[in-house]
Amino acid sequence: MVLYIIGLGLHDEKDVTVRGLELIKSSSKVFLEAYTSILSIGKERLEAFYGRDDIVVADRDFVECHAEEIYLPAKESDVAFLVVGDPVCATTHSDIIIRAREAGAVVEVVHNASAMGAVGCCGLQLYNFGQTVSIPYFDENWRPTSFYPKIKYNRRGGLHTLCLLDIKVKEPDFEAMKRGKIVYLPPRFMTVNEASDQLIEAEEARAGGAYIPNKTLCVGLARLGQPDQCIIAGTLEELKEKDFGAPLHCLIICGEVHDMELEALKPYLIDNSKFEVDVEGSLFPRDEPSSKAADDDDVDA
């Protein structure tokens, strides 16, 4: 009687590990989390590969409001909870692990590839990354920039920042709800272009010099781990004009770039890019206070 939280990797049904596949086939119930990320294929392909036809899709409402339906049955029989990427890369999954253990269920995690490791394929060294940030969609009433001080904090230490971009799946249409109808908006997946625009706006609004939109080297990535993955490097001003194709996208704001990293990035650089390399020790004097508190006044209220 175990709740197995199983990573599916980044591409299709064949990215699951051998151990993960065996556990999926032997579990009494299987849930597919479809809210924090997506695969490039549908549930039907997964079911055909796993040899079963009873996978339950767990959307945002199910995961956030009915998670006990996932972990409580694991007290009586084995349950598989399938997660795109690696299970421990989203706080949503950590919350389920904690709640399941508090309820007396045994939990085991089966790891797999995730974007947080796969971004190293662009040539930037994973050792040189700082805090990961999320970039949410701006709208006319809400334009949060709480990611900004974290990027500045990373760059103060010469570190790269991985920006995970917002996805909107099964979001309610509040205008329709006012009319008594339950309607969901079409899925939206933030592009590198949209993220670049928002990051430029955030720098203009904060004016803290965390990065320079027409000079700081950045890397846009799309469909990591898939045969048609796309990697383009340049400034934010340049990346916002490029076509990265289908989702999912993510973005890296570079810190100090080592010679070896720059050499590895060369195949992905935009021709005649205007970026300027921040070499070791060039961003912020190391004798300045580098505590996170120095940037706390930038955090959104």
Side-chain angles (χ1 to χ4, degrees), residues 121-258:
C121 68
C122 72
L124 296 175
Q125 295 295 310
L126 295 180
Y127 287 106
N128 296 333
F129 279 76
Q131 299 179 73
T132 296
V133 302
S134 296
I135 310 295
Y137 272 114
F138 287 178
D139 62 35
E140 58 184 18
N141 299 314
W142 190 60
R143 309 183 84 75
T145 55
S146 54
F147 53 81
Y148 183 88
K150 292 183 179 180
I151 297 172
K152 184 175 180 180
Y153 179 76
N154 286 346
R155 296 248 307 154
R156 183 183 295 274
L159 301 174
H160 313 312
T161 304
L162 171 61
C163 302
L164 300 178
L165 309 187
D166 202 1
I167 68 173
K168 300 287 189 184
V169 179
K170 206 174 181 181
E171 291 288 313
D173 185 333
F174 292 109
E175 291 302 317
M177 289 177 68
K178 292 177 184 177
R179 300 190 297 271
K181 298 180 179 179
I182 299 177
V183 177
Y184 296 102
L185 297 169
R188 297 171 64 200
F189 306 97
M190 184 180 287
T191 64
V192 170
N193 317 81
E194 292 169 317
S196 297
D197 273 329
Q198 292 191 185
L199 284 161
I200 292 169
E201 179 181 325
E203 178 58 54
E204 291 172 348
R206 293 298 190 99
Y211 45 87
I212 304 173
N214 64 348
K215 291 183 180 180
T216 300
L217 181 60
C218 299
V219 185
L221 308 100
R223 300 174 303 285
L224 281 171
Q226 300 182 27
D228 64 342
Q229 75 176 16
C230 175
I231 304 173
I232 303 175
T235 68
L236 289 173
E237 294 283 4
E238 294 164 345
L239 293 181
K240 73 176 187 177
E241 305 298 334
K242 294 297 180 179
D243 181 7
F244 287 83
L248 294 169
H249 295 190
C250 59
L251 176 69
I252 301 168
I253 299 176
C254 296
E256 294 171 355
V257 181
H258 188 275

Side-chain angles (χ1 to χ4, degrees), residues 251-271:
L251 176 69
I252 301 168
I253 299 176
C254 296
E256 294 171 355
V257 181
H258 188 275
D259 289 346
M260 184 179 294
E261 291 180 304
L262 186 59
E263 187 65 29
L265 271 174
K266 278 184 178 179
Y268 311 117
L269 285 170
I270 294 170
D271 290 341

Side-chain angles (χ1 to χ4, degrees), residues 64-82:
E64 293 187 342
C65 302
H66 306 284
E68 66 278 1
E69 296 182 31
I70 298 171
Y71 59 77
L72 287 182
K75 298 176 68 174
E76 306 297 332
S77 61
D78 290 344
V79 175
F81 181 53
L82 313 184

Side-chain angles (χ1 to χ4, degrees), residues 10 12 17 26 62 67 74 88 97 100 111 118 126 128 137 176 185 212 224 240 267 269 295:
L10 296 170
D12 61 15
T17 64
S26 64
F62 193 101
V88 297
I97 291 171
H111 296 282
L126 295 180
N128 296 333
Y137 272 114
L185 297 169
I212 304 173
L224 281 171
K240 73 176 187 177
L269 285 170
D295 292 318

